[in-house]
């Protein structure tokens, strides 16, 4: 069966983890891993996995006779803002794992089906992939005036890109909580924890809910959504049943539901504690699969 | 750097010792103790009193910094920016500082605070994660703000690690780096070793500061030892109003440094009056060393977790000091208030299961 060809740009933690996942795909053939540093460990790892590499960046990739069908961007928001128009011009569909937010946000269990033809789709952030499904589940039952998420990740799993541009995480995730999650207002918080042994990724979602509402229906929707995420991230679990708190004046008279999540990774590249890597690369791989199927189907 | 020597008769002589600048955080760290419910009128009266007492820097923000108003940390009664503007309006000689934690607040928040008149940006990270602050120091310097780096929970890292992280902040644009004893966990020796290590690393490129808590009653003593090791900025709060068992009281710092002959620029009588007559009447709960806050110092737990642990304890029928002990064992850092509920749920579940052994395991 024909596969769509792909390049990964950015041989860091995310790019390396993504490579392992895409190499298991029946629809995608990863041909190139692109970096900017000849001594990059990530490029060496990709070569060892049988992938052609270059340290001469996007310029090199776009100068090749054969271009990929898909490019997975795992650099930084700044780098992707420069590269995105060039990919589009070359007719390469981009799956953006940076917080650049150029193309529409995609969160597979929420809105994967609606953006398959976009030239550029954005994977939001790791914290967004972990929490927005829950916000969407709650807002499918009741209006959510305000949703807030707290993502705690191990320091070891936060690469230099995340660290240099941490505002991109909070701003992009906050916005996606609104446009994908369906909350009227969103807020995102990220915490880096250096404890040893490393902590497994944790995410907490707080949603304001009407004072009077069907709490059982909300709970059921949350459990159903967790099952949908588990289809591609098996280590995505609830730490406890959703917690409901009664209305308070300081919450504008709203009640609150709090959801406590743990994301245990698959351990493809970084160890299992790095659920933050796993959930965004697993989501990107799922999106890539859908895009590839659409392309291969069209070519056939 | 040479350390000034001190003698008991220094008081009687002309001030020969280097000045220490006291930054008052009643209206920021104290926000934790007030459950972030400061009103504009309260902010104005405290700023007025501190300003008249000669305090040069007054920090005004939600306890968790700009953008801290949230489910996780507690909603502010009044927006940060409005309180900053009121403080700026009230101050005559003092400058207003704001705190921000990267990952929670953003450069946008910082710009809003600057527009409201804040002149000092204090950027706080966990003590091993200084590199998340680079973009904020850069922005603050571009805005023309004075910059201070805050290495939170500094007891968790070795002096050499703290020095390395301070270097990152200085290179990013910090003009002072604080050793921050967020858990009030530093016993004698810990603070000055860290201050000394930072000075050895950054020399005169930037100043060094110390922020203490009273959980093990060491806030003022550690502040003096930090000064002797070379720190020239020290944090306090009137009436110790701050997270956990509170901060080093500004009025005690002023009195102690005066007795040591160290100039602070703060009028001791005016500071005492501010604590007693202005702050005390507005506080329903004066921070003190109780079972939970002592456990915070003992187990090295971020001080602002106190009220959250009390609330989760009441909600789930679990003793707050047990929650805090478990938080310390798990190594949670500032900002992980959500984990307090998680741990309360865990303890409650273990109780329900009657699983006595599991209670001590995790």
């Amino acid at each position: 069966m024909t596969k769509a060809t792909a390049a990964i740009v950015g041989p860091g933690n995310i790019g390396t983890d993504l490579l392992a996942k895409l190499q298991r795909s029946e629809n995608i053939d990863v041909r190139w891993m692109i970096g900017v540093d000849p001594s990059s460990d990530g490029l060496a790892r990709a070569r060892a996995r049988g992938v052609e590499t270059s340290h001469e960046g996007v310029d090199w990739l776009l100068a090749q006779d054969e271009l990929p069908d898909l490019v997975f961007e795992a650099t930084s928001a700044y780098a992707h803002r420069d590269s995105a128009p060039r990919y589009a011009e070359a007719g390469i569909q981009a799956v953006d794992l940076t917080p650049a937010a150029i193309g529409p946000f995609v969160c597979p269990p929420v809105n994967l089906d609606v953006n398959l033809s976009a030239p550029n789709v954005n994977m939001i952030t790791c914290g967004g992939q972990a929490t927005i499904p829950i916000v969407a589940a709650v807002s499918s039952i009741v209006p959510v005036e305000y949703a807030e998420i707290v993502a705690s990740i191990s320091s070891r799993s936060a690469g230099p890109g995340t660290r240099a541009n941490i505002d991109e995480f909070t701003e992009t995730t906050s916005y996606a909580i609104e446009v994908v999650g369906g909350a009227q207002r969103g807020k995102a918080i990220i915490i880096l924890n250096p404890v040893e042994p490393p902590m497994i990724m944790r995410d907490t979602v707080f949603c304001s809910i009407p004072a009077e509402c069907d709490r059982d229906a909300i709970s059921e929707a949350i459990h159903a959504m967790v099952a949908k995420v588990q289809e591609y991230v098996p280590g995505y679990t609830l730490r406890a049943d959703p917690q409901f708190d009664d209305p308070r004046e300081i919450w504008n008279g709203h009640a609150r539901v709090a959801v406590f999540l743990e994301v245990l990774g698959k351990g493809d590249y970084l160890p299992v504690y790095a659920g933050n890597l796993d959930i965004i690369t697993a989501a990107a791989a799922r999106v890539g699969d859908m895009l590839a199927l659409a392309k291969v189907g069209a070519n056939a | 750097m040479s350390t000034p020597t001190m003698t008991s008769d220094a008081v009687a002589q002309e001030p020969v010792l280097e000045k220490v600048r006291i930054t008052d955080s009643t209206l920021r760290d104290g926000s934790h103790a007030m459950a972030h419910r400061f009103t504009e009128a309260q902010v104005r009266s405290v700023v007025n009193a501190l300003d008249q007492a000669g305090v040069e820097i007054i920090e005004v923000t939600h306890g968790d910094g700009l953008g801290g108003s949230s489910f996780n940390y507690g909603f502010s009664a009044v927006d940060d920016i409005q309180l900053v503007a009121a403080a700026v309006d009230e101050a005559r000689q003092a400058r207003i500082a704001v705190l921000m934690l990267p990952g929670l607040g953003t450069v946008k928040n910082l710009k809003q605070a600057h527009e409201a008149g804040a002149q000092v940006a204090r950027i706080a990270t966990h003590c091993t994660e200084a590199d998340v602050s680079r973009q904020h120091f850069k922005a603050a310097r571009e805005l023309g703000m004075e910059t201070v780096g805050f290495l939170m929970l500094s007891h968790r890292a070795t002096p050499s690690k703290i020095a390395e992280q301070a270097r990152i902040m200085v290179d990013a644009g910090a003009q002072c780096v604080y050793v921050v004893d967020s858990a009030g966990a530093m016993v004698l020796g810990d603070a000055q070793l860290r201050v000394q290590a930072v000075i050895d690393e950054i020399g005169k490129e930037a100043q060094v500061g110390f922020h203490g808590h009273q959980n093990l009653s060491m806030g003022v003593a550690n502040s003096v030892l930090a000064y002797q090791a070379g720190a020239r900025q020290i944090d306090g709060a009137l009436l110790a109003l701050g997270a956990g068992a509170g901060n080093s009281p500004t009025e005690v710092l002023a009195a102690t440094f005066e007795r040591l002959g160290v100039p602070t620029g703060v009028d001791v009588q005016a500071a005492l009056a501010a604590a007693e007559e202005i702050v005390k009447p507005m506080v329903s709960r004066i921070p003190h060393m109780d079972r939970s806050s002592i456990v915070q110092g003992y187990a090295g737990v971020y001080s602002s977790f106190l009220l959250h642990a009390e609330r989760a304890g009441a909600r789930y029928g679990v003793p707050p000091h047990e929650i805090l002990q478990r938080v310390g064992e798990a190594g949670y850092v500032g900002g992980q208030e959500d984990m307090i509920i998680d741990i309360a749920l865990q303890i409650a579940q273990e109780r329900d299961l009657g699983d006595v052994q599991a209670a001590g395991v995790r």
Side-chain angles (χ1 to χ4, degrees), chain B residues 168-209:
Chain B
I168 292 171
M169 285 185 161
V170 171
D171 288 350
Q175 294 165 301
C176 175
V177 179
Y178 266 67
V179 172
V180 180
D181 186 13
S182 316
M186 290 189 190
V187 290
L188 298 178
D190 296 334
Q192 67 266 45
L193 282 173
R194 284 163 179 76
V195 168
Q196 187 61 57
V198 174
I199 287 173
D200 289 347
E201 171 61 37
I202 66 177
K204 292 196 178 294
E205 290 175 64
Q207 286 198 321
V208 179

Short mmCIF file of all heavy atoms in Angstrom, two decimals, chain B residues 168-209:
data_model
loop_
_atom_site.label_atom_id
_atom_site.label_comp_id
_atom_site.label_asym_id
_atom_site.label_seq_id
_atom_site.Cartn_x
_atom_site.Cartn_y
_atom_site.Cartn_z
N ILE B 168 22.26 32.35 35.62
CA ILE B 168 21.34 32.37 34.48
C ILE B 168 20.47 33.63 34.53
O ILE B 168 20.27 34.32 33.54
CB ILE B 168 20.45 31.10 34.48
CG1 ILE B 168 21.30 29.85 34.19
CG2 ILE B 168 19.30 31.22 33.47
CD1 ILE B 168 20.57 28.53 34.39
N MET B 169 19.97 33.94 35.74
CA MET B 169 19.10 35.12 35.86
C MET B 169 19.87 36.41 35.61
O MET B 169 19.36 37.31 34.94
CB MET B 169 18.46 35.14 37.26
CG MET B 169 17.33 34.12 37.41
SD MET B 169 16.52 34.29 39.03
CE MET B 169 14.95 33.44 38.71
N VAL B 170 21.10 36.49 36.14
CA VAL B 170 21.89 37.72 35.94
C VAL B 170 22.19 37.90 34.45
O VAL B 170 22.04 38.99 33.90
CB VAL B 170 23.18 37.67 36.77
CG1 VAL B 170 24.12 38.82 36.40
CG2 VAL B 170 22.84 37.73 38.26
N ASP B 171 22.56 36.83 33.79
CA ASP B 171 22.84 36.92 32.36
C ASP B 171 21.58 37.31 31.57
O ASP B 171 21.67 37.92 30.51
CB ASP B 171 23.40 35.59 31.82
CG ASP B 171 24.84 35.36 32.29
OD1 ASP B 171 25.44 36.30 32.85
OD2 ASP B 171 25.35 34.24 32.10
N ALA B 172 20.42 36.96 32.11
CA ALA B 172 19.17 37.29 31.43
C ALA B 172 18.73 38.73 31.71
O ALA B 172 17.81 39.23 31.07
CB ALA B 172 18.07 36.33 31.87
N GLY B 173 19.37 39.38 32.71
CA GLY B 173 19.02 40.77 32.98
C GLY B 173 18.61 41.09 34.41
O GLY B 173 18.19 42.20 34.70
N ALA B 174 18.75 40.12 35.33
CA ALA B 174 18.41 40.39 36.72
C ALA B 174 19.48 41.29 37.35
O ALA B 174 20.67 41.04 37.19
CB ALA B 174 18.30 39.09 37.51
N GLN B 175 19.04 42.33 38.06
CA GLN B 175 19.98 43.23 38.73
C GLN B 175 20.18 42.85 40.20
O GLN B 175 20.99 43.43 40.90
CB GLN B 175 19.47 44.67 38.62
CG GLN B 175 19.48 45.15 37.17
CD GLN B 175 18.66 46.40 36.97
OE1 GLN B 175 17.47 46.43 37.24
NE2 GLN B 175 19.31 47.45 36.50
N CYS B 176 19.39 41.90 40.65
CA CYS B 176 19.55 41.34 42.00
C CYS B 176 18.96 39.94 41.94
O CYS B 176 18.00 39.71 41.21
CB CYS B 176 18.77 42.19 43.01
SG CYS B 176 18.77 41.51 44.69
N VAL B 177 19.55 39.01 42.65
CA VAL B 177 18.96 37.67 42.75
C VAL B 177 18.74 37.34 44.22
O VAL B 177 19.66 37.49 45.04
CB VAL B 177 19.85 36.59 42.09
CG1 VAL B 177 19.20 35.21 42.24
CG2 VAL B 177 20.07 36.90 40.62
N TYR B 178 17.54 36.92 44.52
CA TYR B 178 17.19 36.56 45.90
C TYR B 178 17.32 35.05 46.14
O TYR B 178 16.86 34.24 45.32
CB TYR B 178 15.72 36.91 46.16
CG TYR B 178 15.47 38.26 46.79
CD1 TYR B 178 15.73 39.42 46.08
CD2 TYR B 178 14.92 38.36 48.07
CE1 TYR B 178 15.45 40.67 46.64
CE2 TYR B 178 14.64 39.59 48.64
CZ TYR B 178 14.90 40.75 47.92
OH TYR B 178 14.63 41.96 48.49
N VAL B 179 17.88 34.73 47.27
CA VAL B 179 17.75 33.39 47.85
C VAL B 179 16.43 33.42 48.61
O VAL B 179 16.26 34.24 49.52
CB VAL B 179 18.93 33.09 48.79
CG1 VAL B 179 18.70 31.79 49.53
CG2 VAL B 179 20.24 33.07 48.00
N VAL B 180 15.48 32.60 48.19
CA VAL B 180 14.13 32.67 48.74
C VAL B 180 13.82 31.41 49.55
O VAL B 180 13.80 30.31 48.99
CB VAL B 180 13.08 32.87 47.62
CG1 VAL B 180 11.69 32.95 48.20
CG2 VAL B 180 13.40 34.11 46.82
N ASP B 181 13.59 31.62 50.85
CA ASP B 181 13.27 30.49 51.72
C ASP B 181 11.76 30.36 51.80
O ASP B 181 11.15 30.62 52.84
CB ASP B 181 13.90 30.72 53.10
CG ASP B 181 13.74 29.52 54.02
OD1 ASP B 181 13.37 28.43 53.52
OD2 ASP B 181 13.98 29.68 55.24
N SER B 182 11.15 29.95 50.69
CA SER B 182 9.69 29.93 50.57
C SER B 182 9.03 29.03 51.59
O SER B 182 7.86 29.22 51.92
CB SER B 182 9.29 29.41 49.19
OG SER B 182 10.05 29.98 48.18
N ALA B 183 9.75 28.03 52.06
CA ALA B 183 9.17 27.07 52.99
C ALA B 183 9.54 27.41 54.44
O ALA B 183 9.10 26.71 55.35
CB ALA B 183 9.65 25.66 52.66
N GLY B 184 10.33 28.47 54.63
CA GLY B 184 10.80 28.75 55.99
C GLY B 184 11.54 27.56 56.56
O GLY B 184 11.42 27.21 57.73
N ALA B 185 12.29 26.88 55.70
CA ALA B 185 12.92 25.60 56.06
C ALA B 185 14.40 25.74 56.35
O ALA B 185 15.04 24.77 56.77
CB ALA B 185 12.73 24.59 54.92
N MET B 186 14.96 26.94 56.12
CA MET B 186 16.40 27.08 56.30
C MET B 186 16.72 27.27 57.77
O MET B 186 16.24 28.20 58.41
CB MET B 186 16.91 28.29 55.51
CG MET B 186 16.87 28.04 54.01
SD MET B 186 17.70 29.36 53.13
CE MET B 186 17.24 28.94 51.46
N VAL B 187 17.53 26.35 58.28
CA VAL B 187 18.02 26.52 59.64
C VAL B 187 19.37 27.23 59.55
O VAL B 187 19.89 27.45 58.46
CB VAL B 187 18.10 25.18 60.38
CG1 VAL B 187 16.70 24.66 60.67
CG2 VAL B 187 18.88 24.15 59.57
N LEU B 188 19.90 27.64 60.66
CA LEU B 188 21.06 28.52 60.62
C LEU B 188 22.19 27.88 59.82
O LEU B 188 22.57 26.74 60.05
CB LEU B 188 21.51 28.86 62.04
CG LEU B 188 20.44 29.62 62.84
CD1 LEU B 188 20.92 29.89 64.25
CD2 LEU B 188 20.04 30.91 62.14
N GLY B 189 22.73 28.66 58.90
CA GLY B 189 23.79 28.17 58.02
C GLY B 189 23.32 28.09 56.58
O GLY B 189 24.06 28.42 55.66
N ASP B 190 22.06 27.67 56.38
CA ASP B 190 21.58 27.43 55.02
C ASP B 190 21.52 28.71 54.19
O ASP B 190 21.89 28.71 53.01
CB ASP B 190 20.18 26.81 55.06
CG ASP B 190 20.17 25.44 55.71
OD1 ASP B 190 21.22 24.77 55.67
OD2 ASP B 190 19.12 25.05 56.25
N ALA B 191 21.03 29.77 54.80
CA ALA B 191 20.83 31.01 54.02
C ALA B 191 22.17 31.63 53.64
O ALA B 191 22.40 31.96 52.48
CB ALA B 191 19.99 32.00 54.83
N GLN B 192 23.06 31.78 54.63
CA GLN B 192 24.30 32.50 54.30
C GLN B 192 25.20 31.70 53.37
O GLN B 192 25.90 32.26 52.55
CB GLN B 192 25.05 32.99 55.56
CG GLN B 192 25.63 31.94 56.45
CD GLN B 192 24.67 31.58 57.57
OE1 GLN B 192 23.47 31.41 57.34
NE2 GLN B 192 25.17 31.46 58.78
N LEU B 193 25.14 30.37 53.44
CA LEU B 193 25.93 29.57 52.50
C LEU B 193 25.47 29.82 51.06
O LEU B 193 26.28 29.91 50.14
CB LEU B 193 25.79 28.07 52.81
CG LEU B 193 26.61 27.56 53.99
CD1 LEU B 193 26.24 26.11 54.30
CD2 LEU B 193 28.10 27.68 53.69
N ARG B 194 24.16 29.93 50.90
CA ARG B 194 23.62 30.17 49.55
C ARG B 194 23.91 31.59 49.08
O ARG B 194 24.28 31.81 47.93
CB ARG B 194 22.12 29.84 49.53
CG ARG B 194 21.87 28.33 49.51
CD ARG B 194 20.46 27.94 49.89
NE ARG B 194 20.31 26.48 49.80
CZ ARG B 194 20.79 25.62 50.70
NH1 ARG B 194 21.46 26.05 51.77
NH2 ARG B 194 20.62 24.32 50.54
N VAL B 195 23.73 32.54 49.98
CA VAL B 195 24.05 33.93 49.63
C VAL B 195 25.53 34.04 49.23
O VAL B 195 25.87 34.64 48.21
CB VAL B 195 23.72 34.88 50.80
CG1 VAL B 195 24.32 36.27 50.57
CG2 VAL B 195 22.21 34.97 51.00
N GLN B 196 26.39 33.43 50.03
CA GLN B 196 27.82 33.49 49.75
C GLN B 196 28.15 32.86 48.40
O GLN B 196 28.92 33.40 47.61
CB GLN B 196 28.59 32.77 50.87
CG GLN B 196 30.11 32.91 50.76
CD GLN B 196 30.55 34.38 50.85
OE1 GLN B 196 30.24 35.06 51.82
NE2 GLN B 196 31.22 34.88 49.81
N ALA B 197 27.53 31.73 48.12
CA ALA B 197 27.79 31.04 46.85
C ALA B 197 27.36 31.90 45.67
O ALA B 197 28.04 31.96 44.64
CB ALA B 197 27.07 29.70 46.81
N VAL B 198 26.23 32.59 45.82
CA VAL B 198 25.75 33.45 44.73
C VAL B 198 26.72 34.61 44.54
O VAL B 198 27.08 34.96 43.41
CB VAL B 198 24.32 33.95 45.01
CG1 VAL B 198 23.90 34.97 43.94
CG2 VAL B 198 23.33 32.79 45.03
N ILE B 199 27.17 35.21 45.64
CA ILE B 199 28.12 36.33 45.53
C ILE B 199 29.42 35.87 44.89
O ILE B 199 29.98 36.56 44.03
CB ILE B 199 28.35 36.96 46.92
CG1 ILE B 199 27.11 37.74 47.32
CG2 ILE B 199 29.60 37.86 46.92
CD1 ILE B 199 27.11 38.26 48.72
N ASP B 200 29.88 34.69 45.26
CA ASP B 200 31.11 34.16 44.64
C ASP B 200 30.93 34.03 43.12
O ASP B 200 31.87 34.23 42.37
CB ASP B 200 31.46 32.79 45.22
CG ASP B 200 31.96 32.89 46.66
OD1 ASP B 200 32.26 34.03 47.11
OD2 ASP B 200 32.02 31.85 47.35
N GLU B 201 29.72 33.71 42.70
CA GLU B 201 29.46 33.51 41.27
C GLU B 201 29.27 34.83 40.52
O GLU B 201 29.84 35.04 39.46
CB GLU B 201 28.22 32.63 41.08
CG GLU B 201 27.71 32.51 39.65
CD GLU B 201 28.71 31.91 38.67
OE1 GLU B 201 29.44 30.98 39.07
OE2 GLU B 201 28.77 32.39 37.51
N ILE B 202 28.46 35.74 41.08
CA ILE B 202 28.08 36.93 40.31
C ILE B 202 28.85 38.19 40.71
O ILE B 202 28.77 39.19 40.01
CB ILE B 202 26.56 37.19 40.36
CG1 ILE B 202 26.10 37.56 41.78
CG2 ILE B 202 25.78 36.00 39.84
CD1 ILE B 202 24.63 37.89 41.87
N GLY B 203 29.59 38.11 41.80
CA GLY B 203 30.42 39.25 42.21
C GLY B 203 29.61 40.53 42.31
O GLY B 203 28.57 40.55 42.96
N LYS B 204 30.08 41.57 41.65
CA LYS B 204 29.38 42.86 41.72
C LYS B 204 28.47 43.09 40.50
O LYS B 204 27.98 44.19 40.27
CB LYS B 204 30.38 44.00 41.86
CG LYS B 204 31.11 43.98 43.20
CD LYS B 204 31.79 45.31 43.47
CE LYS B 204 32.49 45.32 44.83
NZ LYS B 204 31.53 45.23 45.95
N GLU B 205 28.27 42.04 39.71
CA GLU B 205 27.41 42.20 38.53
C GLU B 205 25.96 42.47 38.94
O GLU B 205 25.20 43.07 38.20
CB GLU B 205 27.44 40.94 37.66
CG GLU B 205 28.75 40.72 36.94
CD GLU B 205 28.73 39.40 36.19
OE1 GLU B 205 27.92 39.26 35.28
OE2 GLU B 205 29.53 38.51 36.55
N ALA B 206 25.59 41.96 40.10
CA ALA B 206 24.22 42.16 40.58
C ALA B 206 24.23 42.05 42.10
O ALA B 206 25.19 41.52 42.67
CB ALA B 206 23.28 41.12 39.98
N GLN B 207 23.17 42.54 42.71
CA GLN B 207 23.06 42.39 44.17
C GLN B 207 22.48 41.02 44.50
O GLN B 207 22.00 40.29 43.63
CB GLN B 207 22.16 43.49 44.73
CG GLN B 207 22.85 44.86 44.75
CD GLN B 207 22.15 45.83 45.68
OE1 GLN B 207 20.93 45.86 45.77
NE2 GLN B 207 22.95 46.64 46.37
N VAL B 208 22.52 40.73 45.80
CA VAL B 208 21.91 39.49 46.28
C VAL B 208 20.90 39.85 47.35
O VAL B 208 21.10 40.81 48.12
CB VAL B 208 22.99 38.53 46.84
CG1 VAL B 208 22.34 37.25 47.37
CG2 VAL B 208 24.00 38.19 45.76
N GLY B 209 19.79 39.14 47.38
CA GLY B 209 18.76 39.39 48.38
C GLY B 209 18.38 38.12 49.12
O GLY B 209 18.79 37.02 48.75
#
